[in-house]
């Protein structure tokens, strides 16, 4: 299926690894020009080489901290200076510090606010201007299935990611008349470094192996396994396509059926 986005410029946050890297690969395969943003220069260089080997096209890369206003500005200045206005924005950052309510400080809350909510707000602000001029745009936020079913021990993620959903729904209502859609993807248990980190924390608390924790989590999923980054990326890229023009303000869970609610 031709997704109709050949030649579009896509900016992908967290594009050096995991779900973000998979999004970048699929977008390159669809003929998009792609900018990937991440904090680590070494990981970016490795990702650029791997993506070029896999797709034949090298993305533009920017080392920047998207949890800061300066980092977002630097990312967009570099991206647009190199490849022109951003038509597809994939908002994706790392998850905030895990922990229960009594283990979190004001500083933890402030960092999570900047990392998850304000990064999405700032990135969207920069992208929307060019999208309005073009009369076309796609904003896809990669959050977590916790926006539909909170996950124990992830107080910050459960709270701040829901803020992004409220922002995205409101923004979708405001931008629909410009041909711009705004949607959110909620990955479930997906085989990424973040999952390994969370499994390790749980394993240490329970004095069991990380593998045992992951096996138990997989048992909670109707399809009986962890998700793959490329499976989440497929949903993201479809939402970025011409075919998804009538989908906006939605939350799409990519979780193997883990969320049990009907809606």
């Amino acid at each position: 299926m031709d997704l109709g986005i050949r030649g579009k410029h896509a900016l992908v946050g967290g594009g050096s690894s995991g779900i973000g890297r998979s999004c970048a690969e699929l977008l390159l395969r669809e003929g998009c020009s792609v900018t990937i943003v991440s904090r680590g220069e070494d990981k970016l260089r490795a990702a650029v080489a791997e993506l070029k080997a896999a797709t034949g096209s090298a993305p533009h890369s920017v080392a920047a901290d998207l949890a800061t206003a300066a980092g977002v500005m630097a990312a967009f200045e570099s991206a647009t200076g190199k490849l022109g206005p951003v038509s597809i924005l994939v908002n994706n950052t790392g998850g905030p510090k895990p922990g229960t309510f009594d283990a979190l400080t004001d500083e933890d809350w402030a960092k999570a606010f900047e990392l998850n909510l304000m990064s999405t707000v700032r990135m969207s602000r920069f992208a929307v201007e060019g999208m309005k001029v073009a009369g076309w745009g796609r904003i896809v936020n990669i959050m977590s299935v916790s926006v539909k079913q909170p996950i124990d021990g992830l107080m910050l993620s459960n709270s701040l990611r829901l803020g992004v959903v409220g922002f995205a729904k409101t923004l979708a209502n405001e931008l629909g008349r410009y041909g711009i859609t705004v949607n959110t993807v909620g990955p479930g248990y997906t085989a990424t470094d973040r999952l390994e980190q969370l499994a390790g924390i749980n394993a240490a608390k329970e004095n069991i192996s990380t593998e045992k924790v992951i096996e138990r989590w997989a048992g909670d999923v109707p399809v009986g396994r962890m998700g793959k980054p490329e499976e989440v990326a497929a949903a993201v890229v479809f939402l970025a396509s011409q075919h998804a023009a009538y989908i906006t303000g939605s939350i799409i869970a990519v979780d193997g059926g883990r969320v049990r609610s009907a809606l």
Side-chain angles (χ1 to χ4, degrees), residues 92-108:
N92 178 48
T93 59
K97 178 181 177 180
T100 55
F101 178 66
D102 57 0
L104 300 169
T105 66
D106 281 3
E107 183 180 6
D108 294 329

Side-chain angles (χ1 to χ4, degrees), residues 156-176:
L156 294 175
S157 180
N158 296 340
S159 302
L160 274 300
R161 292 190 193 278
L162 274 169
V164 173
V165 170
F167 165 74
K169 182 67 176 178
T170 308
L171 190 63
N173 294 343
E174 294 182 5
L175 298 181

Side-chain angles (χ1 to χ4, degrees), residues 6-239:
R6 181 170 297 276
K8 302 289 189 185
H9 177 196
L11 191 157
V12 182
S16 65
S17 63
I19 294 170
R21 184 198 173 285
S22 290
C23 289
E25 180 172 342
L26 292 185
L27 288 162
L28 286 167
R29 291 186 186 280
E30 289 298 320
C32 292
S33 57
V34 176
T35 297
I36 58 173
V37 185
S38 183
R39 287 178 298 179
E41 292 187 6
D42 290 343
K43 289 183 70 174
L44 277 171
R45 279 193 291 269
V48 168
E50 291 166 1
L51 289 166
K52 185 176 182 180
T55 68
S57 300
H60 175 54
S61 65
V62 186
D65 184 357
L66 298 180
T68 68
V72 171
M73 181 178 292
F76 267 87
E77 286 181 347
S78 179
T80 57
K82 181 75 172 180
L83 300 175
V86 172
S87 299
I88 298 168
L89 173 63
V90 180
N91 283 315
N92 178 48
T93 59
K97 178 181 177 180
T100 55
F101 178 66
D102 57 0
L104 300 169
T105 66
D106 281 3
E107 183 180 6
D108 294 329
W109 282 95
K111 286 182 177 179
F113 174 73
E114 294 289 337
L115 176 67
N116 292 123
L117 180 55
M118 286 310 300
S119 68
T120 303
V121 171
R122 290 172 180 139
M123 294 280 281
S124 300
R125 184 185 293 134
F126 274 98
V128 161
E129 183 177 350
M131 292 177 179
K132 282 184 176 179
V133 172
W136 194 97
R138 301 285 186 266
I139 298 173
V140 185
N141 307 309
I142 302 177
M143 289 291 110
S144 166
V145 78
S146 65
V147 301
K148 284 183 170 284
Q149 181 172 301
I151 299 172
D152 290 345
L154 297 183
M155 172 62 77
L156 294 175
S157 180
N158 296 340
S159 302
L160 274 300
R161 292 190 193 278
L162 274 169
V164 173
V165 170
F167 165 74
K169 182 67 176 178
T170 308
L171 190 63
N173 294 343
E174 294 182 5
L175 298 181
R177 66 182 179 274
Y178 299 104
I180 304 168
T181 66
V182 185
N183 291 290
T184 301
V185 170
Y189 291 131
T190 308
T192 62
D193 292 343
R194 168 73 168 176
L195 183 88
E196 287 283 343
Q197 176 199 23
L198 295 176
I201 291 170
N202 280 266
K205 288 179 180 178
E206 300 177 41
N207 197 29
I208 59 176
S209 69
T210 298
E211 291 73 21
K212 283 289 185 183
V213 173
I214 292 175
E215 182 181 331
R216 185 177 68 209
W217 286 349
D220 291 336
V221 180
V223 302
R225 63 173 176 83
M226 296 292 161
K228 302 173 184 177
E230 57 266 30
E231 292 173 318
V232 179
V236 172
V237 175
F238 173 74
L239 290 171

